[in-house]
Amino acid sequence: LELDLSNVALAAGDTEVDANVGIGELTVIVPNDVAVDVDASASAGEVTVFGRSESGVDAELSRSVGTLGSDRTLRIDAHVGLGDVVVERETP
């Protein structure tokens, strides 16, 4: 599953996104101009959030990345049972 949020018009404040995949790969692409709080996990597999990775059983990563002057924040909870989670900024 690829969830591309790069062209979504987000309102000011917090926007919560909950994405789950049983088996496979979950990729979440976020805009460059918003702050992001991520909690990502894999029951078994690899989790990569903005270039940092953890792998194995119960792999987890939490990361907050601010953006200067942004009044919008994406709060992402991403989970995969067996597979990979990738959260990354959009490519310019």
Side-chain angles (χ1 to χ4, degrees):
L1 172 66
E2 180 175 281
L3 181 58
D4 187 347
L5 303 172
S6 60
N7 291 315
V8 175
L10 299 171
D14 293 351
T15 300
E16 294 189 19
V17 175
D18 188 6
N20 295 283
V21 170
I23 298 174
E25 182 169 314
L26 169 60
T27 301
V28 181
I29 302 168
V30 300
N32 288 320
D33 60 350
V34 300
V36 183
D37 288 329
V38 178
D39 287 317
S41 63
S43 296
E46 183 172 21
V47 177
T48 304
V49 178
F50 304 125
R52 288 190 181 161
S53 295
E54 292 289 331
S55 62
V57 176
D58 295 327
E60 294 182 1
L61 271 176
S62 294
R63 189 125 187 248
S64 294
V65 178
T67 299
L68 188 63
S70 179
D71 62 349
R72 299 172 296 157
T73 301
L74 268 173
R75 299 196 184 281
I76 299 171
D77 185 4
H79 176 77
V80 67
L82 175 62
D84 300 328
V85 176
V86 177
V87 179
E88 61 191 8
R89 292 275 190 192
E90 69 180 308
T91 305

